[in-house]
Amino acid sequence: MPTLMLVLWLDYPQHWLGLSDQKYRTLFLYGLAWIGGTLGGTLFDIKWLYHSVARQIWHMDRRLWRFFTPHISGGLAFTVITLISSGLLRVFDQHALESPSLILGMTFLVGYFSDSTVAKLAEIADTIFGTTRSSKKQDEQPDAPK
């Protein structure tokens, strides 16, 4: 991850792809978002690996979880920054997203706490779009007479 951050910071992709400064700035910020989330997810993954090994509860069937967690965290962080920059989520001023350090710090937290992030996004989606789950009150009401 630090190597990818350095590659972005040194503007190598801009030169390789022949991008204008404005287009590269977008690639740079969203690339940092993905990298920050992946870094957070990787550290979370490693932390739980050594905890589970130390407690002797590690299982080989968790390999897929260990492999995919950092990638899911990176994609989630990218998506959260996209939602914030679009104005749909108003966590802070959109101009704050011009700060690479804010993006990296925010997306690291999103990646590290990806389970909490998904839970909060589910709450937001339920608020915006509603839910199809029946509530307990509806389940307790007797059927209407036929």
Side-chain angles (χ1 to χ4, degrees):
M1 293 309 126
T3 303
L4 290 175
M5 283 187 252
L6 181 63
V7 165
L8 283 175
W9 182 67
L10 292 174
D11 301 337
Y12 286 138
Q14 180 179 18
H15 303 299
W16 295 333
L17 301 172
L19 299 173
S20 67
D21 288 343
Q22 182 180 3
K23 286 186 179 182
Y24 183 68
R25 182 72 178 168
T26 301
L27 177 86
F28 174 72
L29 295 175
Y30 283 100
L32 279 182
W34 191 283
I35 291 168
T38 303
L39 178 61
T42 300
L43 292 180
F44 176 81
D45 196 9
I46 292 169
K47 179 187 83 167
W48 279 104
L49 175 62
Y50 75 74
H51 277 289
S52 62
V53 169
R55 293 180 184 153
Q56 298 179 348
I57 58 173
W58 185 79
H59 301 284
M60 291 298 287
D61 61 347
R62 295 184 181 167
R63 285 180 291 180
L64 287 177
W65 183 87
R66 302 258 179 243
F67 177 77
F68 285 112
T69 293
H71 300 289
I72 292 168
S73 295
L76 184 60
F78 176 87
T79 302
V80 166
I81 290 300
T82 302
L83 290 170
I84 293 169
S85 67
S86 73
L88 186 60
L89 292 180
R90 296 179 191 250
V91 178
F92 38 72
D93 186 274
Q94 289 176 334
H95 295 292
L97 292 178
E98 295 171 9
S99 166
S101 59
L102 183 137
I103 287 180
L104 198 55
M106 173 77 173
T107 57
F108 173 84
L109 291 173
V110 168
Y112 194 87
F113 299 104
S114 60
D115 289 342
S116 298
T117 303
V118 168
K120 185 54 73 177
L121 287 173
E123 286 178 30
I124 292 168
D126 282 348
T127 300
I128 294 172
F129 304 117
T131 180
T132 57
R133 290 179 242 138
S134 62
S135 68
K136 189 173 184 179
K137 288 182 182 179
Q138 289 175 342
D139 291 340
E140 293 174 350
Q141 293 177 355
D143 292 332
K146 296 180 182 177

